[in-house]
Amino acid sequence: MKLAVCPGSFDPVTNGHLDIIRRAAKLADRVLVVVMTNAIKNPLFSMEERMEMLRRVTADLPNVEVDAFDGLLADYTRQVGADAIVKGLRATSDFEYEFQMALTNRQLGATAETVFLTTSAEMMFLSSSLVKQVAAYNGDISEFVPAEVLDLVIQKMKG
Ligand code: PNS
């Protein structure tokens, strides 16, 4: 495929996200990682901070770019001419929500196909909210987030 979009809140980016982005970069000529607003989440990091973290962790991937969009994913994919929306599926618990989003995006006129990559087994349990919970109580998150953003996340949690 030519152009894949990896959308998400990335609040913050985790090793699970990076795993999916890296694998998408092997499948597509070009990948746009797009930081978006999830209406039901209240982000800890600003849009710019989330983009900066993503830029750092994807710096070694020449076909990956970071973008942000405050609007509908369906509109974004049409605007950039994406072939696919690539998302990670962790477990059956993700399925219903992701299936719902994929169908809604199609209903909203997204021309891109939604493609699900199965998360690597060791990332099954990982999520940004889990990272924030562990970091909030000074737990070790070094196995959960890329090294390039570890200090940033720890500092942010300290307020
Ligand atoms: O990392 P997340 O929070 O699971 O990502 C969800 C996200 C940001 C991809 C989703 O909320 C989204 O697409 N937001 C943009 C607004 C939109 O298009 N909403 C309808 C999607 S069904």
Side-chain angles (χ1 to χ4, degrees):
M1 72 182 96
K2 288 197 193 76
L3 178 60
V5 166
C6 288
S9 311
F10 305 109
D11 187 49
V13 61
T14 67
N15 285 333
H17 293 130
L18 190 54
D19 173 48
I20 298 296
I21 295 167
R22 282 186 180 283
R23 285 158 59 200
K26 286 187 189 157
L27 294 173
D29 295 340
R30 189 171 160 234
V31 175
L32 283 172
V33 182
V34 58
V35 182
M36 307 203 74
T37 305
N38 182 336
I40 56 168
K41 289 183 186 168
N42 201 0
L44 174 70
F45 294 88
S46 70
M47 203 71 137
E48 188 44 53
E49 285 172 325
R50 288 180 273 160
M51 287 178 81
E52 178 53 28
M53 286 189 277
L54 283 163
R55 279 191 215 105
R56 285 192 198 181
V57 303
T58 59
D60 65 322
L61 300 170
N63 61 335
V64 175
E65 291 158 58
V66 178
D67 199 3
F69 190 73
D70 191 12
L72 288 174
L73 179 58
D75 291 340
Y76 181 79
T77 55
R78 267 201 313 268
Q79 207 167 292
V80 297
D83 300 298
I85 297 166
V86 176
K87 304 210 77 182
L89 261 194
R90 280 170 301 197
T92 49
S93 53
D94 273 349
F95 181 77
E96 210 168 320
Y97 174 59
E98 292 294 346
F99 192 67
Q100 210 177 7
M101 280 204 284
L103 292 181
T104 308
N105 284 327
R106 191 176 295 165
Q107 185 71 26
L108 291 171
T111 46
E113 290 290 344
T114 300
V115 176
F116 293 114
L117 300 183
T118 44
T119 299
S120 302
E122 61 275 24
M123 316 273 180
M124 279 293 271
F125 64 95
L126 249 187
S127 70
S128 297
S129 40
L130 184 139
V131 166
K132 284 180 278 192
Q133 281 185 49
V134 175
Y137 295 104
N138 298 316
D140 181 9
I141 56 163
S142 59
E143 298 285 307
F144 304 160
V145 299
E148 297 91 329
V149 303
L150 180 62
D151 282 346
L152 242 157
V153 178
I154 293 171
Q155 289 314 315
K156 186 79 174 180
M157 293 310 298
K158 282 184 183 159

